[in-house]
């Protein structure tokens, strides 16, 4: 009997114990030659848990994703452009965003965009327990379900891009797929906006087939550059996919989806 009791207590202890594994910060050297950035050992690490950072097929498709920690007044403009251009996107939201901008959240879902999980309170997942991480994700999931008709939340983007082997494992266990990115730039500093041309050029200089593009909706530069950016990418032969499309590619053999 005591062995069973000990096993139960040990399991509970491990569940609430903070994650002690070394923290990793997502990052890579930017490329301007049209190729997918090399993320080194991070690639096999996230693939082990079904995560992704780009579409490896080589197809001229890109994926727009936005992180929404709080509302700065530009998301409506972003949604207007996406609607006008017929482009899908994924918005990774926090609890603060859900509570402060519920109508924008509803609009995202109504207009066919995916809503992803960016945690409730934006903690460093590598510094919290498994149970705490689960609570953070479930709270966002439930709140989105209550406000929209999106029944399934598939994708998670870790706050600050911080992760490790354990958080990847836990997310997969909770039913989530980590969605990292292969193209980003410093766009979140609201007091250091540089004009739409800066945002436009930052994306164009790094663009490559299969890019998962990370943008922040707090950026006025991004909102004002988005229309021109979409037009230019289409001129260059790119189309725009959703992360669901990318997931299908990951799961289905190329000869099938390539038909």
């Amino acid at each position: 009997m005591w062995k069973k009791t000990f096993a139960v207590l040990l399991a509970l202890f491990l569940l609430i114990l903070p994650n002690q594994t070394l923290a990793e910060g997502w990052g890579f050297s930017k490329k301007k030659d049209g190729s997918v950035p090399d993320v080194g050992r991070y690639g096999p690490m996230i693939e082990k848990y079904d995560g992704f950072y780009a579409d490896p097929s080589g197809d001229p498709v890109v994926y727009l994703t936005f992180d929404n920690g709080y509302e700065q007044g530009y998301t409506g403009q972003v949604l207007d452009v996406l609607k006008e251009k017929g482009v899908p996107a994924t918005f990774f939201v926090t609890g603060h965003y859900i509570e402060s901008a519920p109508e924008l959240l509803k609009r995202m879902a109504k207009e066919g965009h995916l809503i992803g999980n960016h945690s409730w309170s934006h903690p460093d997942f590598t510094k919290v327990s498994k149970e705490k991480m689960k609570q953070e994700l479930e709270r966002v999931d439930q709140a989105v379900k209550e406000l929209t008709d999106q029944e399934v939340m598939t994708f998670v983007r870790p706050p600050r891009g911080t992760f490790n082997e354990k958080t990847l494992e836990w997310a997969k266990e909770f039913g989530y797929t980590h969605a990292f990115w292969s193209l980003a730039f410093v766009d979140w500093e609201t007091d250091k906006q540089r004009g739409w041309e800066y945002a436009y050029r930052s994306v164009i200089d790094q663009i490559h087939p299969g890019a998962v593009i990370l943008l922040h909706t707090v950026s006025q530069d991004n909102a004002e550059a988005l229309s021109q950016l979409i037009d230019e990418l289409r001129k260059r032969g790119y189309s725009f996919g959703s992360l669901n499309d990318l997931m299908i590619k990951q799961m289905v053999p190329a000869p099938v989806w390539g038909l």
Side-chain angles (χ1 to χ4, degrees):
M1 177 63 72
W2 70 268
K3 290 183 178 180
K4 291 184 178 180
T5 302
F6 176 77
V8 171
L9 291 175
L10 179 61
L12 290 173
F13 176 73
L14 292 175
L15 189 64
I16 64 175
L17 185 69
N19 184 1
Q20 298 298 316
T21 310
L22 181 68
E24 306 281 3
W26 183 254
F28 48 82
S29 296
K30 295 180 180 179
K31 288 194 172 184
K32 296 185 178 182
D33 61 358
S35 63
V36 180
D38 180 7
V39 298
R41 62 188 178 85
Y42 289 165
M45 185 186 299
I46 66 170
E47 288 173 13
K48 179 179 177 181
Y49 299 99
D50 301 330
F52 62 83
Y53 67 98
D55 177 350
S57 69
D59 293 338
V61 182
V62 295
Y63 305 84
L64 285 180
T65 70
F66 296 87
D67 282 5
N68 292 66
Y70 62 97
E71 179 54 40
Q72 189 72 5
Y74 303 112
T75 307
Q77 184 178 346
V78 167
L79 288 168
D80 287 345
V81 172
L82 295 175
K83 184 177 181 179
E84 176 190 351
K85 303 293 183 179
V87 170
T90 303
F91 293 87
F92 290 90
V93 300
T94 63
H96 181 279
Y97 193 88
I98 294 169
E99 292 187 328
S100 64
E103 294 307 313
L104 286 171
L105 192 79
K106 292 176 184 178
R107 182 180 172 189
M108 293 170 190
K110 184 178 180 180
E111 295 182 358
H113 303 296
L114 297 177
I115 299 172
N117 204 320
H118 201 37
S119 81
W120 187 264
S121 61
H122 209 258
D124 181 342
F125 283 159
T126 68
K127 295 181 180 179
V128 302
S129 68
K130 180 179 181 180
E131 184 60 28
K132 174 61 175 176
M133 180 178 170
K134 184 178 182 181
Q135 291 171 357
E136 285 279 332
L137 298 176
E138 286 183 343
R139 195 171 178 186
V140 171
D141 194 350
Q142 185 59 38
V144 170
K145 285 180 180 177
E146 291 174 358
L147 284 169
T148 74
D149 60 0
Q150 180 174 302
E151 290 297 323
V152 179
M153 184 169 284
T154 304
F155 303 104
V156 61
R157 177 162 286 164
R160 306 175 181 89
T162 305
F163 67 101
N164 60 28
E165 190 93 12
K166 277 296 181 185
T167 61
L168 292 169
E169 178 185 349
W170 292 346
K172 183 178 179 180
E173 181 180 326
F174 301 151
Y176 285 94
T177 297
H178 264 77
F180 289 98
W181 57 91
S182 62
L183 194 162
F185 59 99
V186 178
D187 62 348
W188 58 85
E189 296 176 335
T190 58
D191 60 341
K192 297 180 181 179
Q193 297 295 287
R194 307 184 189 185
W196 74 266
E197 294 95 341
Y198 170 75
Y200 174 90
R201 183 51 53 191
S202 295
V203 174
I204 292 299
D205 285 350
Q206 298 181 67
I207 202 64
H208 62 83
V212 176
I213 302 171
L214 165 60
L215 300 171
H216 289 79
T217 56
V218 295
S219 167
Q220 181 179 358
D221 293 351
N222 290 344
E224 294 179 352
L226 189 58
S227 181
Q228 295 94 323
L229 183 60
I230 290 171
D231 289 346
E232 178 61 24
L233 290 175
R234 281 178 166 158
K235 286 180 183 178
R236 296 186 180 206
Y238 286 100
S239 61
F240 294 84
S242 77
L243 294 189
N244 280 344
D245 299 330
L246 178 49
M247 280 296 294
I248 292 172
K249 281 188 174 184
Q250 298 285 76
M251 294 185 294
V252 180
V256 176
W257 55 254
L259 293 177

